Amino acid sequence: MTAPAVLNDEAAMRLALAQATQAHAAGEVPVGAVIVLNGEVIASGFNQPISTHDPTAHAEVVALRAAALRQRNYRLPDCELFVTLEPCAMCAMALMHARFKRIVFGATDPKTGVAGSVLDLFGYRELNHQTLIEGGLLGEECGDLLRSFFRERRAQQKALRLAAAEAGGQGGLPPGVDGA
Ligand SMILES: [Zn+2]
């Protein structure tokens, strides 16, 4: 008899990275998440606010909703979430409301991260529930995916500006002005 395969942290983060790649393919900022219960993935999600017209459709929230539905419970006290980017305040509070046991993230987010980058919501002893948080797992790979996405997007925007400049005289910018 073989024991059921139990995911280790790195394997779980690799699955979150695969979710982030799906976001990338859909033209969304590449962030992915998986939720693990007793060593097994029970839900996954990737960032999709643009395609769903939903500003709350961050990877964590998408995965959290799927997991809660699956467990038929709004509280998931034995679950762990693996996400490729440091959570924002909205996601952090949603996870705390769900009483998550542990959160592991990859890259830090200096713009909206609340696990120490902008704020440290997880360090607020005054909050009614404490969730264990760990950062930096496969952080380089998680960050590289984001950096390559934004690099591609800047290149596309530059190409659009150049095309507009070449169309000069038709409402575009004059040649040699890139509008930056
Ligand atoms: Zn978020």
Side-chain angles (χ1 to χ4, degrees):
M1 195 179 91
T2 53
V6 170
L7 275 181
N8 65 28
D9 285 3
E10 188 177 323
M13 188 60 85
R14 293 219 174 272
L15 294 173
L17 265 166
Q19 288 292 311
T21 305
Q22 285 197 49
H24 193 182
E28 302 271 6
V29 174
V31 181
V34 296
I35 292 173
V36 173
L37 176 63
N38 300 326
E40 268 184 74
V41 171
I42 61 160
S44 60
F46 59 85
N47 192 46
Q48 46 193 285
I50 302 169
S51 57
T52 58
H53 311 296
D54 177 2
T56 71
H58 287 185
E60 299 94 315
V61 169
V62 173
L64 177 60
R65 286 185 172 143
L69 269 179
R70 184 183 188 275
Q71 297 305 106
R72 305 182 71 78
N73 195 338
Y74 76 113
R75 285 190 172 157
L76 302 163
D78 298 316
C79 288
E80 298 168 292
L81 176 120
F82 293 79
V83 58
T84 57
L85 184 65
E86 183 180 355
C88 71
M90 173 185 75
C91 293
M93 287 313 302
L95 293 161
M96 282 192 253
H97 286 311
R99 304 284 193 263
F100 262 65
K101 183 163 89 176
R102 185 168 76 119
I103 297 164
V104 181
F105 67 90
T108 53
D109 183 353
K111 291 198 175 118
T112 65
V114 298
S117 289
V118 177
L119 289 174
D120 183 12
L121 277 184
F122 296 93
Y124 271 74
R125 294 294 129 196
E126 293 84 353
L127 288 171
N128 64 335
H129 178 73
Q130 309 300 326
T131 294
L132 195 64
I133 181 130
E134 295 164 24
L137 180 62
L138 302 182
E140 274 300 305
E141 280 173 65
C142 295
D144 282 347
L145 197 59
L146 285 157
R147 281 185 286 274
S148 69
F149 173 81
F150 286 113
R151 203 162 39 234
E152 283 165 29
R153 203 156 79 167
R154 278 194 299 274
Q156 281 164 3
Q157 283 165 349
K158 191 175 176 189
L160 284 174
R161 280 201 305 271
L162 285 174
E166 275 166 22
Q170 297 168 44
L173 292 166
V177 177
D178 72 4

